[in-house]
Amino acid sequence: MERRETYGPAVPAEVALLTCGIDVQDDRLELEVVGWGRDEESWSIDYKVLWGDPSAPDTWAQLDAYLGSRFEHETLATGLTIEAACLDTGGHHTLAAYAFCKGRERKRIWAIKGAGGGSAGKRPIWPKRPSKANKGKVNLFTVGVDAAKEAIYARLKKSDAGAGRMHFPLDRDAQYFEQLTAERIRTRYVKGFPQRFWWKPDGRRNEALDCRVYAYAALHGL
């Protein structure tokens, strides 16, 4: 909260491209647009909640219109559009999420599912190839959420401008930061070997963290 900055509504001059992460809930879609600069320095450009039933077409029409938006930029007269977006297909509206992504892959709107590190070690943030073994017959990308969260949490500690620094505008409230930092690393022992995992306390919301993970995954997808 103390490191929030004054910028906007125009996208800061240092930002070269935009990505978006979208989380699907039972009564809404939540999304964050992140601006990326040199060495993955980032700026939170917009955080939005699109209220509506994800099984209804109107909700997805709102998302489609938003993803096609052009964002004013401090130095680029043409502004910026969202280069890539990752849409989480987990939860109760998987088929609706598949249907939205199908036909939009040429716009780099990607269907994803999150997965932990796995037994073989740390899963990469972006897979080498997608899977089509799903009911929607879409390209489904399995995102290594553990590696993404570790990178994000490490960067939250950076207070100096430059590589990896995360910038937030003044309109981000306390609830946003509580969600962004909702999870913790814990260790469990499997057959005598320590295994680290991400844990969310009961009742804590983490949508802001999920949206940032997906926006970061979209950058890796590019």
Side-chain angles (χ1 to χ4, degrees):
M1 287 284 286
E2 291 174 358
R3 293 214 306 265
R4 290 178 303 169
E5 305 166 37
T6 301
Y7 63 84
V11 174
E14 298 92 338
V15 172
L17 64 88
L18 303 175
T19 65
C20 183
I22 307 141
D23 186 44
V24 181
Q25 296 292 322
D26 286 341
D27 60 354
R28 67 194 184 280
L29 306 176
E30 295 205 18
L31 60 88
E32 184 180 27
V33 176
V34 180
W36 300 95
R38 186 183 299 275
D39 298 323
E40 294 189 1
E41 190 169 3
S42 66
W43 286 259
S44 182
I45 302 303
D46 193 18
Y47 194 93
K48 205 165 191 69
V49 178
L50 302 177
W51 292 99
D53 181 356
S55 65
D58 288 354
T59 307
W60 297 103
Q62 287 184 68
L63 178 61
D64 193 40
Y66 184 86
L67 292 177
S69 302
R70 188 170 292 274
F71 293 77
E72 180 187 357
H73 191 275
E74 285 183 352
T75 58
L76 294 173
T78 57
L80 289 177
T81 56
I82 294 168
E83 291 288 334
C86 282
L87 174 66
D88 181 35
T89 62
H92 300 145
H93 299 281
T94 299
L95 292 178
Y98 286 161
F100 181 78
C101 293
K102 197 174 184 75
R104 289 181 173 86
E105 292 174 343
R106 57 186 175 79
K107 297 180 180 179
R108 293 186 292 273
I109 296 172
W110 293 315
I112 66 158
K113 66 175 182 178
S119 59
K122 188 176 290 185
R123 187 187 301 272
I125 293 173
W126 196 254
K128 290 182 179 179
R129 61 186 64 85
S131 166
K132 272 204 168 179
N134 55 77
K135 291 182 178 179
K137 303 298 183 192
V138 298
N139 286 316
L140 182 62
F141 297 86
T142 300
V143 168
V145 295
D146 288 1
K149 289 173 184 176
E150 287 190 18
I152 289 165
Y153 270 56
R155 292 172 181 189
L156 283 171
K157 298 174 184 176
K158 292 179 176 288
S159 57
D160 298 328
R165 169 68 190 270
M166 298 171 69
H167 300 266
F168 302 97
L170 288 175
D171 65 1
R172 294 292 173 273
D173 59 14
Q175 184 183 73
Y176 170 85
F177 292 106
E178 286 167 0
Q179 290 185 22
L180 188 64
T181 59
E183 298 189 18
R184 299 285 182 270
I185 286 278
R186 285 193 164 183
T187 302
R188 61 187 163 208
Y189 286 84
V190 180
K191 296 182 179 179
F193 293 96
Q195 189 177 81
R196 298 165 82 245
F197 68 99
W198 287 88
W199 170 78
K200 180 175 74 70
D202 290 343
R204 289 288 295 273
R205 289 176 53 191
N206 66 343
E207 292 93 308
L209 176 59
D210 285 343
C211 288
R212 177 56 68 117
V213 165
Y214 306 151
Y216 187 40
L219 180 71
H220 278 249
L222 288 170

